[in-house]
Amino acid sequence: MSNPQVETVTSGADKAKLAGAVLLLVGALVAFYALSKQGALAQWGALLVLLAASAGAFFTSESGKSLIAYGQDSLREVRKVVWPTRKEATQMTGYVFAFVVVMALFLFLTDKTLEWVLYDLILGWKR
């Protein structure tokens, strides 16, 4: 999060770009189904061309530019991560599995103890 400020002011041209992107997206879907009698090549060609135009219109708007900037910031942060070695990852996975087994045994024993105390000793409902 390099820019914590929220900016909601958009220009009319930016709104027009976003509206155009939405219209191109809807047009792509309409063209795909309207061209069903023309063949698959015409259908898919129209769909892909209009989807590319819609993406182009979106990524030239301020919202698209901020999405690209967010992606670039995310990639920069991922490059800073120090990833564990294979040995460290294997050891940590083993520790997690061991902990899960110990907790499962603990919960099982606790459940059976409470069941024995409540049903057998207190209520006398021996099976």
Side-chain angles (χ1 to χ4, degrees), residues 42-122:
Q43 271 185 306
W44 287 99
L47 179 72
L48 293 176
V49 167
L50 289 172
L51 282 178
S54 176
F58 173 73
F59 286 121
T60 58
S61 70
E62 287 301 318
S63 298
K65 290 177 184 176
S66 67
L67 181 64
I68 290 172
Y70 177 76
Q72 290 170 340
D73 285 345
S74 298
L75 285 175
R76 251 184 255 115
E77 290 298 320
V78 167
R79 288 186 189 123
K80 292 179 187 178
V81 172
V82 178
W83 298 100
T85 64
R86 182 177 181 89
K87 181 181 176 184
E88 291 171 337
T90 304
Q91 285 177 342
M92 292 306 293
T93 303
Y95 295 151
V96 169
F97 281 141
F99 181 75
V100 167
V101 168
V102 168
M103 283 303 298
L105 287 173
F106 171 74
L107 291 173
F108 174 76
L109 292 174
T110 303
D111 180 53
K112 290 301 173 185
T113 303
L114 287 173
E115 179 183 343
W116 175 71
V117 167
L118 288 174
Y119 290 127
D120 292 347
L121 297 181
I122 294 176

Side-chain angles (χ1 to χ4, degrees), residues 3-60:
N3 189 4
Q5 298 174 348
V6 176
E7 297 179 17
T8 58
V9 178
T10 57
S11 66
D14 193 48
K15 289 180 183 178
K17 286 179 187 177
L18 290 174
V22 169
L23 287 175
L24 284 169
L25 180 65
V26 170
L29 294 173
V30 169
F32 180 79
Y33 290 109
L35 295 174
S36 63
K37 294 179 182 173
Q38 302 298 323
L41 184 63
Q43 271 185 306
W44 287 99
L47 179 72
L48 293 176
V49 167
L50 289 172
L51 282 178
S54 176
F58 173 73
F59 286 121
T60 58

